[in-house]
Amino acid sequence: MSKNLLRAAAAATLATALIGLSSPASAQSDVKVAWNVGVVSDYIFRGFSQTGEDPAIQGGVDLTSGSFYAGAWASNVDFGDDTDAEIDVYGGYRTEAAGFAWDFGVIGYLYAGEPKGADYNYAEFKAAASRAVGPATVGAAVYYSPDFYGVDKEATYAEINGAFAPAPKWTVSGAVGRQWLNVSNDYTTWNLGVGYALTDNLGLDVRYYDTNVKGVPAADDRIVGGLKLTF
């Protein structure tokens, strides 16, 4: 499947969801819109800095209607070329079965200003499951792209994650993931952090990231701080 078809599929999924949410029939349902904006000291994606280890300003919007959701999110990036922003569009379906929360969706990653021939834009299909166990939540997710970013084609990312609320306003969370690539080297990444709710709408997160990649500064271990406002 070509990247143009993948981009079209991702855009169509989002458009279909948005049309459904804005239709007269859905206007009578419980349609929710949530916005978010934040700043981080470094934008890390699967263990790699996307901003040349510099800060990022980020924001997005999420729409939900019943079990369906759609949204968009953006961040500045710095790949050492003319690319200056990442724009994600996504849509999917959430449900509950057998005591687990399930999430199936598609995500389109679009890059503003990418150089000609860079081939950065791609899409991924997602399947995730999680379960609450007392004050903790444990989960796993798999992402698959048949035409991945840059030189890689097929790619799969799998992750196990967990979160624990030891006290009101506090959350400890972490994840371990493995990225499989058909051209570049496979690698493992992990993170562990603490979140604190400063208010009902403003949260602080301090997180440690690392990978097993050697000799690549963007994949070195680091501590990242972030503030996020939701409304």
Side-chain angles (χ1 to χ4, degrees):
M1 183 182 293
S2 72
K3 289 199 174 182
N4 286 334
L5 288 176
L6 281 169
R7 281 175 244 168
T13 298
L14 179 59
T16 300
L18 292 174
I19 290 170
L21 289 173
S22 61
S23 67
S26 67
Q28 301 175 9
S29 65
D30 183 17
V31 178
K32 298 179 181 179
V33 180
W35 299 84
N36 66 84
V37 63
V39 59
V40 291
S41 59
D42 193 353
Y43 170 27
I44 308 296
F45 180 70
R46 296 179 188 169
F48 280 74
S49 173
Q50 306 296 292
T51 50
E53 304 178 65
D54 288 331
I57 298 174
Q58 306 170 333
V61 57
D62 292 284
L63 297 88
T64 59
S65 179
S67 296
F68 294 94
Y69 67 89
W73 179 88
S75 174
N76 61 287
V77 297
D78 183 359
F79 299 156
D81 53 28
D82 291 334
T83 309
D84 51 24
E86 173 187 332
I87 304 164
D88 302 343
V89 292
Y90 48 87
Y93 178 81
R94 297 188 183 103
T95 188
E96 293 186 7
F100 288 86
W102 300 88
D103 183 350
F104 302 97
V106 60
I107 309 164
Y109 301 84
L110 310 174
Y111 294 90
E114 68 166 344
K116 185 177 180 180
D119 209 20
Y120 289 161
N121 300 338
Y122 69 101
E124 285 185 322
F125 301 95
K126 169 188 175 182
S130 62
R131 184 166 187 164
V133 183
T137 300
V138 294
V142 177
Y143 298 79
Y144 170 74
S145 176
D147 197 359
F148 195 59
Y149 169 98
V151 299
D152 289 288
K153 298 304 178 184
E154 282 190 274
T156 301
Y157 178 77
E159 176 185 281
I160 56 173
N161 51 67
F164 173 68
K169 297 187 177 184
W170 290 93
T171 304
V172 178
S173 61
V176 177
R178 179 73 174 175
Q179 180 77 72
W180 289 275
L181 303 164
N182 74 330
V183 176
S184 304
N185 293 330
D186 303 338
Y187 69 93
T188 301
T189 179
W190 55 93
N191 68 80
L192 180 65
V194 176
Y196 180 74
L198 297 168
T199 71
D200 290 342
N201 302 97
L202 182 63
L204 169 68
D205 186 88
V206 178
R207 189 163 301 273
Y208 173 80
Y209 292 90
D210 199 5
T211 74
N212 66 343
V213 177
K214 305 299 181 185
V216 180
D220 287 346
D221 65 324
R222 70 200 64 217
I223 295 176
V224 174
L227 283 171
K228 184 175 180 180
L229 176 67
T230 58
F231 52 96

